[in-house]
């Protein structure tokens, strides 16, 4: 089967840094994406890693290690509005656009 | 607003009834996806289209589910003989033409289905 594992919940305070991990086991691998979803809202794209290493987009960074089947999302200078669920997603084959999503991590940011 | 739109936003139906949902993607996007999401879980892939062609359908999708995109623009997802286990949020997403490596998908607000 194909699976992406994430911690179910993470808590942090405003201004802090938090890391959300994702380990994947899929039949193929063509990139790891991260999506944010606020309660009652639609998932929105945050970042993508196709190759090993770190990608930075403002306060958010994402890392990938293909040899370890592992990635993480790093959120810096946390704000209350960052409280949401975060999903990693894998494109598992070159001839498909479908994404396989992880179980999701609920981030709660406290003042 | 030129984002992905879905209608209806909420649907309550009785077991055994048929339901149909509509998705209007971002106008210049040629790829359209349907996902299902239950509480506390990530979106689960159902099917996707490139223009009017249905390119892939999840093996988890029973024969009661059918999707169409007749003119390569909007899409409909129909569930026949609904069951309580079909209760979920049905999400539609679209992505633009081209083999973008990041395959960023733009999601709509979803249709929440409750089967009584």
């Amino acid at each position: 089967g194909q699976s992406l594992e994430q911690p179910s919940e993470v808590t942090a305070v405003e201004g802090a840094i938090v890391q959300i991990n994702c380990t994947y086991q899929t039949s193929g691998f063509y990139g790891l994406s991260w999506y944010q979803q606020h309660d009652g809202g639609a998932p929105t794209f945050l970042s993508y890693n196709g190759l090993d290493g770190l990608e930075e987009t403002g306060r958010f960074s994402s890392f990938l290690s293909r040899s370890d089947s592992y990635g993480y999302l790093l959120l810096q200078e946390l704000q209350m509005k960052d409280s949401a669920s975060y999903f990693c997603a894998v494109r598992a084959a070159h001839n498909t656009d479908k994404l396989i999503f992880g179980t999701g991590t609920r981030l709660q940011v406290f003042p | 607003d030129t984002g992905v739109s879905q209608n209806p936003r909420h649907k309550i139906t009785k077991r055994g009834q048929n339901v149909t949902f509509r998705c209007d993607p971002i106008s210049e996007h040629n790829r359209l996806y349907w996902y299902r999401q239950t509480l506390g879980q990530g979106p689960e892939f159902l099917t996707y289209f490139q223009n009017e062609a249905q390119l892939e359908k999840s093996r988890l999708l029973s024969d009661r589910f059918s999707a169409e995109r007749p003119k390569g623009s909007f899409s409909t997802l129909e569930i026949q003989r609904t069951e309580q286990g079909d209760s979920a949020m049905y999400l539609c997403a679209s992505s633009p033409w081209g083999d973008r490596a990041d395959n960023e998908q733009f999601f709509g607000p979803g249709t929440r289905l409750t089967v009584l």
Side-chain angles (χ1 to χ4, degrees):
Chain A
Q2 311 206 79
S3 66
L4 287 80
E5 297 295 327
Q6 303 176 232
S8 60
E9 189 167 357
V10 174
T11 59
V13 296
E14 275 187 302
I17 299 172
V18 71
Q19 178 174 312
I20 298 173
N21 299 321
C22 173
T23 56
Y24 58 88
Q25 188 172 16
T26 56
S27 56
F29 180 82
Y30 289 86
L32 181 71
S33 300
W34 290 90
Y35 283 77
Q36 178 192 60
Q37 186 178 31
H38 288 96
D39 285 348
T44 56
F45 175 84
L46 290 178
S47 71
Y48 169 82
N49 293 76
L51 301 174
D52 292 350
L54 191 69
E55 294 287 338
E56 298 181 78
T57 309
R59 295 188 296 113
F60 295 175
S61 302
S62 57
F63 173 83
L64 174 65
S65 169
R66 289 173 294 173
S67 61
D68 296 320
S69 297
Y70 164 77
Y72 67 72
L73 179 69
L74 191 73
L75 297 86
Q76 302 182 72
E77 302 173 16
L78 281 174
Q79 302 175 11
M80 296 292 290
K81 68 178 182 179
D82 298 328
S83 293
S85 293
Y86 293 84
F87 296 93
C88 57
V90 164
R91 181 181 178 186
H94 75 280
N95 60 347
T96 179
D97 278 359
K98 81 175 186 185
L99 293 176
I100 301 169
F101 281 83
T103 51
T105 300
R106 186 173 181 85
L107 170 63
Q108 293 192 65
V109 180
F110 294 98
Chain B
D1 188 341
T2 57
V4 178
S5 62
Q6 294 187 244
N7 288 288
R9 294 292 309 276
H10 303 272
K11 179 69 177 179
I12 299 174
T13 191
K14 293 182 178 179
R15 184 166 54 92
Q17 297 295 306
N18 299 344
V19 294
T20 300
F21 311 141
R22 176 179 170 125
C23 171
D24 288 90
I26 294 172
S27 59
E28 63 267 26
H29 288 185
N30 74 322
R31 294 176 184 175
L32 185 148
Y33 313 81
W34 285 99
Y35 293 87
R36 176 172 62 189
Q37 186 176 27
T38 53
L39 195 62
Q41 300 296 314
E44 176 187 31
F45 172 80
L46 295 178
T47 188
Y48 90 96
F49 295 82
Q50 179 166 305
N51 299 316
E52 64 275 11
Q54 187 173 19
L55 296 188
E56 188 168 352
K57 186 175 176 180
S58 170
R59 286 172 290 178
L60 301 175
L61 213 59
S62 78
D63 291 342
R64 297 183 298 105
F65 288 72
S66 63
E68 293 183 341
R69 195 182 183 196
K71 297 182 179 179
S73 56
F74 73 92
S75 176
T76 58
L77 177 69
E78 181 183 18
I79 309 174
Q80 296 182 328
R81 304 181 302 282
T82 53
E83 303 173 354
Q84 289 185 326
D86 298 330
S87 295
M89 177 72 83
Y90 289 83
L91 294 166
C92 176
S94 68
S95 66
W97 174 265
D99 190 18
R100 288 177 47 171
D102 66 11
N103 189 30
E104 177 182 354
Q105 297 183 13
F106 297 78
F107 282 81
T111 295
R112 180 168 297 283
L113 173 66
T114 302
V115 181
L116 301 176

